[in-house]
Amino acid sequence: MKESHVVILAGILFAVCILFSGPAKKESEFPPSSDLIAEVASVKTIQRPSITMYSRDNCPPCDSWWAVERPRWEAVGWSIDRITDENTSKLTPWYEIHDGDGEQFEVIGYLTTEKFRKAKEGAK
């Protein structure tokens, strides 16, 4: 290719880029449809119930709850996390519970169904 052809081709490519690279449309230029707004409004936000267990290393009750009780809670749809905190001043294990109904409460000591029920009643 001759040098003059390269210059002409570069000019053409530059012009094409300038012509087709207009500003992108803003999000506000694409408002949601009334159907979408109605659909979103009809959906209730549901929070998955969760338990966060706080433990320490070498904590037999913590390990026992994790091995025995955690699978039972998960089997009925609960999300379970474990945080090891060597600096906690609380008796371990202790639990932070989000029950899915918007309630949040704590249980200190080995979590049983009865302790869960009492803590939930106290949170209301």
Side-chain angles (χ1 to χ4, degrees), residues 15-34:
V16 168
C17 289
I18 296 296
L19 286 172
F20 292 106
S21 66
K25 290 192 174 188
K26 295 179 182 175
E27 188 176 316
S28 62
E29 293 181 58
F30 299 104
S33 68
S34 58

Side-chain angles (χ1 to χ4, degrees), residues 4-59:
S4 61
H5 290 128
V6 172
V7 172
I8 292 172
L9 184 59
I12 292 171
L13 286 174
F14 179 76
V16 168
C17 289
I18 296 296
L19 286 172
F20 292 106
S21 66
K25 290 192 174 188
K26 295 179 182 175
E27 188 176 316
S28 62
E29 293 181 58
F30 299 104
S33 68
S34 58
D35 290 341
L36 177 59
I37 292 170
E39 192 65 33
V40 169
S42 71
V43 174
K44 292 182 180 178
T45 303
I46 298 172
Q47 178 183 5
R48 183 174 180 198
S50 66
I51 298 173
T52 301
M53 180 182 81
Y54 292 84
S55 66
R56 295 176 196 220
D57 285 333
N58 302 317
C59 170

Side-chain angles (χ1 to χ4, degrees), residues 51-56 59 62-63 66 80-84:
I51 298 173
T52 301
M53 180 182 81
Y54 292 84
S55 66
R56 295 176 196 220
C59 170
C62 303
D63 296 338
W66 190 256
I80 312 291
D81 290 314
R82 182 176 188 169
I83 296 176
T84 302

Side-chain angles (χ1 to χ4, degrees), residues 57-124:
D57 285 333
N58 302 317
C59 170
C62 303
D63 296 338
S64 175
W65 191 91
W66 190 256
V68 175
E69 299 297 331
R70 177 189 52 87
R72 293 177 181 167
W73 287 88
E74 288 177 333
V76 293
W78 286 69
S79 171
I80 312 291
D81 290 314
R82 182 176 188 169
I83 296 176
T84 302
D85 182 3
E86 296 298 325
N87 298 317
T88 185
S89 60
K90 296 180 183 179
L91 176 69
T92 56
W94 71 274
Y95 308 84
E96 184 176 82
I97 301 169
H98 297 265
D99 71 359
D101 296 330
E103 298 291 333
Q104 177 180 342
F105 48 92
E106 292 181 1
V107 171
I108 297 177
Y110 195 95
L111 179 64
T112 62
T113 306
E114 184 63 26
K115 281 186 176 181
F116 172 83
R117 193 174 299 121
K118 286 181 180 179
K120 183 173 170 102
E121 289 172 3
K124 291 184 178 182

